[in-house]
């Protein structure tokens, strides 16, 4: 995974689209995507576009449609109503993604128990973009577990392989994890995500299972 400005040609292309806005509010429309990033730092905006692109590429391959637009706000602080431990969030009511800037993200490097890395940051962006895309595709009332399953599968899929394995090796897969999925998510969301990703990789699951989530057939209140 390249750093945000790793390729000069790509950087120059993006700079041309990075339009100045008043008082530290600059907006970037991600090339080829209906995604707009608001950030005071170009590097964060570029990383956000990369994370968004990875999520879009993966979820469209799973048969999901894109919402008309996706908006991402990058800032040193998240809205006050979010937990202090949060790295990002998707507001269903506002249809808005909020994510910490990379500098603040690095200060919280212990979240994933691996060194801070642009790949993890971009995967966090992918996770939140997945929430926005999934919400647009639910054909029944979205549930917490259904949304987080899709978002974490996207997170691990888009993560740099070496880092993905470094995180996954900590968690043994339990065949009966869905019986206590709520408790698992509330006590260790990353372990929930690791189980969801391994579950998704099974031949009988994959895209078929994601579509069942969107239909309300699994990981819903009634099943």
């Amino acid at each position: 995974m390249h750093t945000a400005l790793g390729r000069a040609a790509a950087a120059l292309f993006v700079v041309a689209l990075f339009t100045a806005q008043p008082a530290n509010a600059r907006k970037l429309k991600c090339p080829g995507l209906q995604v707009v990033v608001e950030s005071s730092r170009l590097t964060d905006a570029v990383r956000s576009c990369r994370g968004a692109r990875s999520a879009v590429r993966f979820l469209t391959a799973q048969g999901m449609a894109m919402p008309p637009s996706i908006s991402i706000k990058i800032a040193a602080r998240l809205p006050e109503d979010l937990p202090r431990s949060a790295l990002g969030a998707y507001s269903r009511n506002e249809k808005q993604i909020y994510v910490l800037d990379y500098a603040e993200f690095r200060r919280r490097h212990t979240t994933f128990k691996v060194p801070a890395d642009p790949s993890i940051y971009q995967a966090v962006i992918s996770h939140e973009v997945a929430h926005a895309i999934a919400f647009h595709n639910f054909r029944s009332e979205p549930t917490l577990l259904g949304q987080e399953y899709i978002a974490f599968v996207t997170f691990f899929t888009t993560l740099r392989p070496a880092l993905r394995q470094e995180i996954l090796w900590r968690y043994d897969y339990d065949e009966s994890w869905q019986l206590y999925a709520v408790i698992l998510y509330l006590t260790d969301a990353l372990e929930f995500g690791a189980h969801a990703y391994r579950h998704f990789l099974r031949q009988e699951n994959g895209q078929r299972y994601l579509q069942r989530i969107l239909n309300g057939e699994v990981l819903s209140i009634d099943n």
Side-chain angles (χ1 to χ4, degrees):
M1 188 71 66
H2 297 282
T3 58
L5 296 179
R7 294 187 179 182
L12 289 173
F13 180 59
V14 172
V15 168
L17 298 173
F18 199 59
T19 56
Q21 300 293 322
N24 295 325
R26 293 181 289 174
K27 292 187 177 182
L28 163 70
K29 183 181 184 300
C30 300
L33 299 175
Q34 294 302 312
V35 178
V36 174
V37 181
E38 183 176 328
S39 172
S40 62
R41 294 181 176 87
L42 175 58
T43 50
D44 287 351
V46 173
R47 286 170 177 148
S48 298
C49 284
R50 288 178 175 169
R53 187 176 304 281
S54 295
V56 168
R57 183 184 301 117
F58 171 65
L59 293 176
T60 53
Q62 305 305 313
M64 296 192 198
M66 293 300 100
S69 63
I70 296 175
S71 176
I72 304 173
K73 286 188 178 182
I74 307 297
R77 294 182 181 179
L78 298 179
E80 293 183 358
D81 57 336
L82 294 175
R84 294 188 64 182
S85 60
L87 301 176
Y90 172 65
S91 170
R92 290 169 51 178
N93 293 334
E94 300 176 53
K95 294 186 177 180
Q96 175 71 57
I97 293 170
Y98 298 94
V99 181
L100 288 174
D101 63 29
Y102 186 64
E104 182 61 27
F105 172 81
R106 290 193 66 184
R107 282 192 280 273
R108 303 187 188 190
H109 67 279
T110 57
T111 299
F112 300 102
K113 300 181 177 66
V114 294
D117 182 283
S119 173
I120 300 180
Y121 185 70
Q122 288 166 199
V124 169
I125 301 289
S126 295
H127 178 105
E128 299 305 337
V129 171
H131 275 300
I133 295 172
F135 182 72
H136 181 69
N137 283 269
F138 269 97
R139 294 177 283 275
S140 62
E141 180 63 25
T143 63
L144 172 65
L145 294 184
Q147 290 182 84
E148 292 299 339
Y149 183 104
I150 294 171
F152 269 113
V153 166
T154 304
F155 171 85
F156 278 107
T157 297
T158 59
L159 194 59
R160 184 160 58 87
L163 280 171
R164 179 169 62 229
Q165 289 306 117
E166 190 173 347
I167 294 173
L168 288 174
W169 76 267
R170 300 190 214 125
Y171 304 111
D172 294 325
Y173 185 74
D174 182 353
E175 294 282 353
S176 61
W177 71 278
Q178 291 188 63
L179 296 178
Y180 58 94
V182 173
I183 296 174
L184 188 61
Y185 175 75
L186 294 176
T187 55
D188 189 341
L190 196 58
E191 183 173 3
F192 169 90
H195 276 79
Y197 178 70
R198 287 192 170 114
H199 179 267
F200 169 80
L201 291 180
R202 298 200 162 197
Q203 185 175 2
E204 66 272 21
N205 298 322
Q207 179 177 344
R208 184 183 303 110
Y209 195 83
L210 296 185
Q211 292 299 323
R212 292 185 67 197
I213 291 175
L214 297 174
N215 288 333
E217 299 171 13
V218 292
L219 294 180
S220 70
I221 297 175
D222 299 324
N223 50 55

